[in-house]
Amino acid sequence: MINWGTLGFHYTEPDYIVRAACHNGVWEEPYATADKYLHLHVSATCLQYGQEAFEGLKAFRGIDGKIRIFRWRENAKRMARSAEGLYMTPVPEDLFGRAIHLALEKNMDFVPPYGTGATLYFRPLLIGTTPRLGVGPGKDFEFVVIPSPIGPYYPGKFHCTTFIVNRHVDRAAPFGTGQFKVGGNYASSFRATEAAHAMGFDCVFLDARFHRYIDECSAANFIGIKGNEYLTPKSSAILPSITNDSLMTLAREQGLKVTRRRIALEELDEFSEAAACGTAAVISPMDKILDPEMGKTYTFTSEPGPVLTKLYRALKDIQFGRTEDKHNWCEIIN
């Protein structure tokens, strides 16, 4: 029996995962299995050359008791772009959807009750399985959907976190794989993020060319509020965030001007609020960004600011069915 009130943001074993294989460009039908282990050749291209991509999305038990899957089609499209970027056969959108629905159907007991703040998280994973020693892409792939109930990112009060700038580690090159959701981007960031975590902070990455403009924050997009403007970086090294896209839509509805452009670090002095955003936390507000090498601290609000708090609540209300979903972002499962 799961204690939903103490569930953290970590993996909890489900009853089933869902798998589908692709050979010679043809995808097989997804199926559910209780086997949580992959049987790979030691020379599989995912192991030898990092040919893999993944996604993350959630299902919510709403205030009306119905389950809502949030914007899964956007995750399917983004995974397809990642697959093409790494020369993999994309998972068709309809197959992606069938796999998510099957994973939900086979793990209904793992959908947390409304009011706990917990959700059912899905981790779709695409890997190259062709045995190969010579450098090059594989032609065989496996698609896996791993469901897991997770607790709220903020188990207590919605609060601010301090971030620190790292000038010695680049997360991704300007025209590399930063725009794709692939494991290599996260592995390359560990030196910076783990160093930041050891000091009690999260990490801000700057652009790899000039080390002046904000790229990402740990594994999330950056957003900031400057007057009546919602600002987020524009860069070929940034993963297009579905959460950020949703927040931009809500920001426009709330009368904010939405701008995507390069944001120089020194411009942060003009920001009233700042945050990281992504599937895990939705919005992770910042109280400060430290730049120790320049001896500079950019200070925002000690508590989550009014603009970002309003956006956070607006998106959560849609996800949990507390307000009208005017954009049809949620697929409702009765």
Side-chain angles (χ1 to χ4, degrees), residues 143-161:
F143 176 56
V144 185
V145 175
I146 310 159
S148 175
I150 57 171
Y153 193 85
Y154 297 105
K157 183 181 177 183
F158 183 45
H159 62 268
C160 290
T161 302

Side-chain angles (χ1 to χ4, degrees), residues 30-53:
Y31 65 95
T33 175
D35 183 6
K36 312 302 192 306
Y37 290 86
L38 294 170
H39 306 280
L40 288 173
H41 194 281
V42 293
S43 294
T45 53
C46 65
L47 302 177
Q48 299 298 319
Y49 301 114
Q51 197 180 27
E52 70 84 44

Side-chain angles (χ1 to χ4, degrees), residues 149-273:
I150 57 171
Y153 193 85
Y154 297 105
K157 183 181 177 183
F158 183 45
H159 62 268
C160 290
T161 302
T162 300
F163 283 67
I164 189 169
V165 174
N166 189 298
R167 296 177 179 274
H168 300 281
V169 176
D170 294 325
R171 172 188 161 272
F175 297 101
T177 60
Q179 62 186 300
F180 308 126
K181 195 169 180 65
V182 298
N185 297 339
Y186 296 81
S188 66
S189 73
F190 288 163
R191 284 182 297 147
T193 56
E194 291 305 298
H197 294 162
M199 295 184 286
F201 308 132
D202 274 328
C203 181
V204 172
F205 289 100
L206 303 180
D207 72 287
R209 183 178 182 186
F210 299 107
H211 288 170
R212 179 189 176 193
Y213 302 99
I214 296 173
D215 256 10
E216 288 211 340
C217 305
S218 292
N221 277 194
F222 172 85
I223 54 177
I225 304 300
K226 179 180 178 182
N228 195 47
E229 191 172 13
Y230 177 113
L231 285 157
T232 193
K234 182 178 182 180
S235 165
S236 60
I238 292 176
L239 179 72
S241 165
I242 296 164
T243 301
N244 197 0
D245 180 74
S246 304
L247 291 170
M248 284 190 279
T249 297
L250 296 175
R252 293 186 186 98
E253 291 180 350
Q254 293 180 12
L256 295 171
K257 177 184 177 183
V258 174
T259 304
R260 175 173 275 166
R261 61 169 172 79
R262 293 202 299 184
I263 299 173
L265 196 61
E266 60 266 25
E267 189 181 351
L268 294 179
D269 274 330
E270 303 171 23
F271 284 40
S272 58
E273 301 176 45

Side-chain angles (χ1 to χ4, degrees), residues 5-324:
T6 60
L7 192 62
F9 197 84
H10 54 73
Y11 176 74
T12 298
E13 187 89 351
D15 286 339
Y16 296 93
I17 63 171
V18 173
R19 300 169 67 164
C22 177
H23 302 290
N24 298 318
V26 179
W27 280 99
E28 298 173 353
E29 189 64 17
Y31 65 95
T33 175
D35 183 6
K36 312 302 192 306
Y37 290 86
L38 294 170
H39 306 280
L40 288 173
H41 194 281
V42 293
S43 294
T45 53
C46 65
L47 302 177
Q48 299 298 319
Y49 301 114
Q51 197 180 27
E52 70 84 44
F54 69 97
E55 277 297 325
L57 63 147
K58 292 177 179 178
F60 302 78
R61 178 82 67 180
I63 193 171
D64 54 3
K66 297 177 181 179
I67 297 171
R68 289 165 169 80
I69 307 175
F70 187 71
R71 300 195 75 178
W72 68 261
R73 289 179 177 82
E74 293 305 313
N75 292 95
K77 292 172 184 175
R78 189 169 67 180
M79 175 168 265
R81 292 194 297 270
S82 296
E84 291 165 354
L86 269 69
Y87 221 74
M88 296 190 283
T89 301
V91 179
E93 185 175 314
D94 61 339
L95 189 151
F96 185 103
R98 291 198 303 278
I100 293 294
H101 285 82
L102 181 58
L104 174 62
E105 175 189 332
K106 300 295 286 187
N107 294 282
M108 279 293 188
D109 290 342
F110 291 88
V111 182
Y114 175 76
T116 62
T119 58
L120 183 63
Y121 178 83
F122 298 99
R123 168 57 57 83
L125 173 69
L126 176 62
I127 59 173
T129 57
T130 302
R132 183 167 188 148
L133 285 180
V135 177
K139 296 182 179 180
D140 306 291
F141 306 96
E142 182 139 9
F143 176 56
V144 185
V145 175
I146 310 159
S148 175
I150 57 171
Y153 193 85
Y154 297 105
K157 183 181 177 183
F158 183 45
H159 62 268
C160 290
T161 302
T162 300
F163 283 67
I164 189 169
V165 174
N166 189 298
R167 296 177 179 274
H168 300 281
V169 176
D170 294 325
R171 172 188 161 272
F175 297 101
T177 60
Q179 62 186 300
F180 308 126
K181 195 169 180 65
V182 298
N185 297 339
Y186 296 81
S188 66
S189 73
F190 288 163
R191 284 182 297 147
T193 56
E194 291 305 298
H197 294 162
M199 295 184 286
F201 308 132
D202 274 328
C203 181
V204 172
F205 289 100
L206 303 180
D207 72 287
R209 183 178 182 186
F210 299 107
H211 288 170
R212 179 189 176 193
Y213 302 99
I214 296 173
D215 256 10
E216 288 211 340
C217 305
S218 292
N221 277 194
F222 172 85
I223 54 177
I225 304 300
K226 179 180 178 182
N228 195 47
E229 191 172 13
Y230 177 113
L231 285 157
T232 193
K234 182 178 182 180
S235 165
S236 60
I238 292 176
L239 179 72
S241 165
I242 296 164
T243 301
N244 197 0
D245 180 74
S246 304
L247 291 170
M248 284 190 279
T249 297
L250 296 175
R252 293 186 186 98
E253 291 180 350
Q254 293 180 12
L256 295 171
K257 177 184 177 183
V258 174
T259 304
R260 175 173 275 166
R261 61 169 172 79
R262 293 202 299 184
I263 299 173
L265 196 61
E266 60 266 25
E267 189 181 351
L268 294 179
D269 274 330
E270 303 171 23
F271 284 40
S272 58
E273 301 176 45
C277 70
T279 300
V282 179
I283 292 177
S284 183
M286 302 174 177
D287 57 359
K288 300 174 185 175
I289 295 179
L290 310 178
D291 188 358
E293 289 194 31
M294 297 299 173
K296 177 70 176 177
T297 298
Y298 300 95
T299 302
F300 311 109
T301 54
S302 58
E303 297 291 333
V307 177
L308 293 178
T309 297
K310 188 176 179 182
L311 289 170
Y312 173 81
R313 290 174 178 167
L315 186 53
K316 298 288 281 186
D317 283 347
I318 291 171
Q319 292 171 334
F320 282 104
R322 295 188 291 251
T323 192
E324 180 186 1

